[in-house]
Amino acid sequence: MQLVRTVAALREALLPARRAGQTIGLVPTMGALHEGHRSLIRRAREENDVVVVSLFVNPAQFGPDEDLAAYPRDEQGDADAARAEGADLLFAPPVQEVYPPGFSTTVHVAGVSEPLEGAQRGASHFDGVATVVTKLFNMAQPDVAYFGQKDAQQAAVIRRFARDLDIPVRVQTCPIVREDDGLALSSRNAYLTADERRRALALSRALQAARDAVAAGGRDAAAIAAAAREAMAELDVEPEYVALVDPETFLPMDTIEGDVLVAIAARVGRARLIDNATITVNIDSEVATLR
Ligand code: AMP
């Protein structure tokens, strides 16, 4: 695996593959790689000739009160993990390579970026994500880019601008990887104390409560959200939001039919955690398929 730190070096390293018509898979990350990230790299390895993992803690997507300075960083550990999963290139640029002096452009995605994470973290969050991912797409020019369903709204924002801007990339979303007890893996889980780690199960339990409510015949979004909130209260966790939305537009659903995304965010101690599940309700057979 080759480590590159500049856009010029990345392009040079990818040139032979591109000329030979080989496929390039890109896995954008902010590092502190865990099994969730590794599952994306494995999928990219299975599906492409060349795999690029990017490692960049993007200051533009952190708010002034967020954890940019404290965000876990372990470049050596990340390089070992990426190599072990078969990555060919690790692209780890310094901040000034991505945002040189004079940088003035923002990619803003209206609509899907506005509710939930956009409302909680401020519009600049998804502006920062959309801008850096657009840049990564232009830097690496991948055939396929891999993202986790863990950040479902982020993936929807990326699908939206890739389509809107005619970027020739397939945006592939991959399933959420969880601990055995249900907690979704996250670099921010490192902030949890032992007691907070126990209470962090509130999110996955709430998703299970939502699934159970649908399986029991519930179709009213407010009632399903209330069941999820109740499950969180049992672990003394107050959600920032529990929302039932259309998985593509993130518009709220009142009565659920077809695919619905149940999205949850909550602060547990110092960690701000998010989780989600897609529930499919087949209105003809009245059978709820759970994912
Ligand atoms: P991050 O480093 O947090 O920006 O995440 C990089 C990529 O890994 C994003 O596409 C995330 O959605 C994805 N990811 C993070 N956690 C998980 C997880 N538990 N399962 C699957 N993908 C994940």
Side-chain angles (χ1 to χ4, degrees):
M1 187 184 73
Q2 193 184 340
L3 170 67
V4 291
R5 297 204 184 273
T6 66
V7 179
L10 176 68
R11 292 209 167 119
E12 195 185 318
L14 288 172
L15 195 60
R18 208 181 304 288
R19 289 223 169 113
Q22 294 187 323
T23 60
I24 297 169
L26 172 69
V27 183
T29 81
M30 297 204 301
L33 300 187
H34 51 61
E35 192 53 38
H37 301 108
R38 293 177 75 132
S39 73
L40 305 183
I41 304 172
R42 278 200 293 279
R43 177 84 180 261
R45 183 68 284 167
E46 282 165 23
E47 297 182 352
N48 296 277
D49 297 314
V50 178
V51 173
V52 182
V53 175
S54 67
L55 197 61
F56 182 63
V57 182
N58 176 31
Q61 71 190 69
F62 286 76
D65 301 326
E66 293 187 346
D67 55 345
L68 175 62
Y71 199 81
R73 286 168 170 85
D74 174 16
E75 189 179 294
Q76 189 53 55
D78 293 341
D80 293 344
R83 189 182 301 107
E85 297 300 349
D88 299 296
L89 280 167
L90 184 66
F91 176 49
V95 172
Q96 64 272 20
E97 178 71 8
V98 179
Y99 301 113
F103 186 86
S104 312
T105 302
T106 298
V107 178
H108 175 73
V109 182
V112 61
S113 72
E114 287 160 18
L116 308 186
E117 289 302 285
Q120 291 292 328
R121 302 186 67 175
S124 64
H125 170 64
F126 281 127
D127 286 358
V129 170
T131 303
V132 82
V133 176
T134 300
K135 286 174 66 73
L136 290 168
F137 285 174
N138 285 330
M139 291 166 177
Q141 293 175 252
D143 296 278
V144 194
Y146 295 84
F147 297 91
Q149 178 62 18
K150 163 84 171 17
D151 298 276
Q153 193 175 4
Q154 168 175 283
V157 167
I158 292 165
R159 284 195 294 274
R160 183 72 261 167
F161 78 70
R163 222 177 292 147
D164 289 351
L165 299 178
D166 303 299
I167 301 179
V169 64
R170 178 163 72 82
V171 176
Q172 177 65 53
T173 310
C174 304
I176 301 175
V177 177
R178 299 177 178 281
E179 303 279 8
D180 288 343
D181 63 3
L183 179 68
L185 297 194
S186 164
S187 306
R188 293 189 166 99
N189 292 349
Y191 301 151
L192 299 168
T193 64
D195 181 57
E196 289 161 2
R197 170 65 183 79
R198 184 185 61 77
R199 290 172 53 237
L201 284 181
L203 286 86
S204 54
R205 295 221 178 133
L207 294 172
Q208 189 55 48
R211 287 191 191 96
D212 292 346
V214 175
R219 297 293 180 266
D220 174 54
I224 297 163
R229 284 175 174 275
E230 220 168 278
M232 299 184 80
E234 277 171 26
L235 283 169
D236 198 22
V237 173
E238 174 75 26
E240 279 185 6
Y241 60 74
V242 174
L244 279 78
V245 298
D246 178 290
E248 219 43 48
T249 63
F250 277 69
L251 290 171
M253 290 176 100
D254 295 331
T255 305
I256 64 165
E257 56 174 275
D259 281 352
V260 62
L261 185 90
V262 186
I264 299 180
R267 212 169 267 285
V268 180
R270 206 155 70 75
R272 184 175 181 279
L273 304 177
I274 59 172
D275 201 350
N276 69 83
T278 307
I279 304 177
T280 302
V281 179
N282 180 338
I283 32 174
D284 295 333
S285 63
E286 285 293 314
V287 171
T289 321
L290 311 177
R291 269 190 263 143

